Amino acid sequence: MTNRTVRPAGVRGRWIALAVAAVVFLILLELASAHYGFTGPTVNLLHDLVGPPKSGPVLWAGLALAVVRLPPRARWTAVASAAGIDALFAAARFAFTDDRVTFGNGALLTILGIAVLASVRWSGPRRADALKGVGLGMLLIVATKVGDAWLTITALTRPMVLDQYVQTSDRALGNPSWVMGRVVDALGPVGYQVLHTVYIELPVGAMVVALWQLRNHWPEHHLVRTFLLIGILGPLIYLVFPVVGPVFAFGADGGAWAVANVWPHRVPIDLAPHAVRFDEWTPRNCMPSLHTAWASAIFIHSRRGPRWLRILGAVWLACTLTATLGFGYHYGIDLIAGAVFCLTVESALREPGRGWGWFRWRLLLWGAAGVTAVLVATRFLAVQMATHAIPAAAALVGVLVVTILGFYATFFAEEGTPLWTWGHPGERAGAADLGERLSSA
């Protein structure tokens, strides 16, 4: 007999069901893309094999995940091969086409090569590590392609946007996008470039943290899981609450579709907000701010790393928040909703070994209720929030503060402290599931 671990049938069934659901979703998204007349995620992925890739850094981030658990020699051989293939593609494009020099083909081809090599030649833990890395890398790449297609769908299917409601409600917070827009202007071209680099290269910051987490073993939870789930669930809210952002709705980037060209120098005052029609190409990707959610996830997952990683996580979060507001891509309420959304998703995934007791359910229920309350209040109480700024701001900030405290108490508080006791109800009063807690309430 062997000591091979047999995966429970229920677990295998869940993975098979998840894979089937993913394939069905991709097929439906391809059909929707064809219906609306743009290239879908699968076709885009095939294009990146030989055509000019649209996002080279994401392809290389996928390769980094694919090789993180390979033996050092195989890892560096893979990286060198990818770089060499990229160089050949770039030289050919420069010599024979008018395409700008791009990169990423080598990374994608190398990921596929690792998958074939591991399936055919390798065995045991080496094969398992390689295929798991390839799976994570491809998930990141495919998720990015899906996200791009989904953003296009939001623009095509949601002609009316709710920016006036968000801007009116944001007066309770002091219109932070207008404030930070002027701050970024004052920073000059150097400050702008630093913030812009951090903003657009968010996957790079995430990969630094993820690679540190995955360098020695496969942990029960890591940043990539949170990143992917945020990217899957967050865009669904875009269809419910379509918003384009102040630089488009109230600034020069909106062109003829803008309500007014006043961002960031003059705050519009309108106590009769209403939905307005906007163009068919600007994504409705503001509410919640997923850049805030992803940067918050980077910050959270860097907390238990070395000093340099904790500094990177804090700086990345601070620069991302500054950029989202200062570039006019988001309102302040978007950031609050994004942070609460991140902590809710992270609460569902973190420390899976602790199970699904009341300690986790209360975070999920509070977070879902918090995001819903922010959306409902912004849509239906915008004028009241603007005219009663202090209580409205206290309520908005209070939702975020309570969420942070609950999350910290549950997953980060020092053992034995009052916060730890509150965050570990099962260890204080015995293991109790959700039904038992609710029945005794």
Side-chain angles (χ1 to χ4, degrees):
M1 292 184 64
T2 66
N3 294 324
R4 182 172 60 91
T5 301
V6 179
R7 188 183 297 273
V11 175
R12 290 199 303 270
R14 285 196 295 270
W15 279 109
I16 292 173
L18 185 62
V20 171
V23 171
V24 171
F25 175 75
L26 283 175
I27 292 174
L28 293 176
L29 195 55
E30 282 294 335
L31 293 175
S33 302
H35 173 74
Y36 287 112
F38 67 93
T39 306
T42 308
V43 176
N44 266 328
L45 185 63
L46 293 175
H47 172 269
D48 283 355
L49 287 172
V50 293
K54 294 183 178 180
S55 183
V58 172
L59 297 176
W60 271 89
L63 177 63
L65 285 175
V67 304
V68 65
R69 298 292 295 125
L70 294 184
R73 182 177 178 180
R75 182 188 309 144
W76 292 114
T77 299
V79 171
S81 299
I85 296 171
D86 263 354
L88 290 175
F89 270 94
R93 290 190 186 107
F94 182 79
F96 302 111
T97 73
D98 294 329
D99 291 330
R100 60 185 177 86
V101 176
T102 56
F103 64 96
N105 304 94
L108 182 56
L109 289 169
T110 301
I111 293 173
L112 298 179
I114 294 171
V116 172
L117 185 62
S119 300
V120 174
R121 298 284 300 276
W122 296 348
S123 61
R126 185 184 186 187
R127 178 185 182 185
D129 282 348
L131 292 179
K132 185 176 283 189
V134 166
L136 278 178
M138 289 304 298
L139 270 176
L140 176 67
I141 294 169
V142 172
T144 302
K145 302 294 185 184
V146 168
D148 291 342
W150 194 262
L151 292 182
T152 303
I153 288 175
T154 66
L156 293 172
T157 62
R158 292 297 182 267
M160 308 299 288
V161 298
L162 305 177
D163 284 76
Q164 286 199 22
Y165 292 98
V166 187
Q167 188 275 321
T168 301
S169 302
D170 225 35
R171 292 179 62 186
L173 299 174
N175 293 107
S177 181
W178 271 255
V179 175
M180 293 308 300
R182 292 192 289 268
V183 170
V184 170
D185 282 349
L187 292 177
V190 174
Y192 176 90
Q193 189 58 48
V194 170
L195 294 174
H196 185 261
T197 301
V198 171
Y199 186 85
I200 65 172
E201 299 299 346
L202 189 66
V204 175
M207 285 306 99
V208 172
V209 177
L211 293 176
W212 181 86
Q213 292 178 319
L214 301 173
R215 70 198 187 285
N216 294 323
H217 65 286
W218 296 108
E220 61 178 5
H221 175 51
H222 49 79
L223 176 60
V224 180
R225 300 177 72 214
T226 306
F227 235 68
L228 291 175
L229 192 56
I230 287 174
I232 292 170
L233 297 179
L236 297 177
I237 306 176
Y238 294 161
L239 295 179
V240 179
F241 208 99
V243 181
V244 294
V247 74
F248 298 102
F250 299 99
D253 288 9
W257 296 94
V259 176
N261 186 2
V262 295
W263 183 89
H265 302 293
R266 182 168 59 85
V267 177
I269 300 175
D270 186 354
L271 295 182
H274 57 278
V276 296
R277 182 172 292 275
F278 214 76
D279 62 40
E280 296 182 351
W281 53 85
T282 303
R284 278 61 164 155
N285 62 341
C286 278
M287 181 68 85
S289 167
L290 294 195
H291 261 79
T292 297
W294 282 319
S296 298
I298 291 174
F299 175 81
I300 292 168
H301 282 263
S302 68
R303 291 307 86 197
R304 288 177 175 159
R307 181 180 177 84
W308 67 266
L309 193 68
R310 297 196 303 271
I311 293 174
L312 180 143
V315 170
W316 214 283
L317 176 60
C319 289
T320 300
L321 296 181
T322 302
T324 56
L325 292 172
F327 293 162
Y329 297 151
H330 287 281
Y331 305 89
I333 290 178
D334 305 343
L335 272 62
I336 291 177
V340 174
F341 179 70
C342 167
L343 293 172
T344 305
V345 171
E346 181 68 18
S347 296
L349 299 175
R350 199 169 192 86
E351 297 183 12
R354 288 175 65 181
W356 281 80
W358 176 238
F359 76 93
R360 193 184 305 278
W361 278 108
R362 64 186 178 182
L363 294 179
L364 299 184
L365 294 173
W366 170 264
V371 173
T372 302
V374 169
L375 296 180
V376 171
T378 301
R379 172 61 181 83
F380 296 104
L381 299 174
V383 175
Q384 290 83 347
M385 293 170 70
T387 53
H388 299 85
I390 293 178
L396 289 169
V397 175
V399 169
L400 177 58
V401 169
V402 172
T403 305
I404 292 172
L405 284 176
F407 182 85
Y408 180 85
T410 304
F411 299 111
F412 282 91
E414 185 178 349
E415 186 171 355
T417 62
L419 271 178
W420 183 91
T421 302
W422 184 83
H424 294 70
E427 288 149 67
R428 179 188 62 191
D433 61 15
L434 175 62
E436 292 171 345
R437 287 281 172 179
L438 288 176
S439 63
S440 63

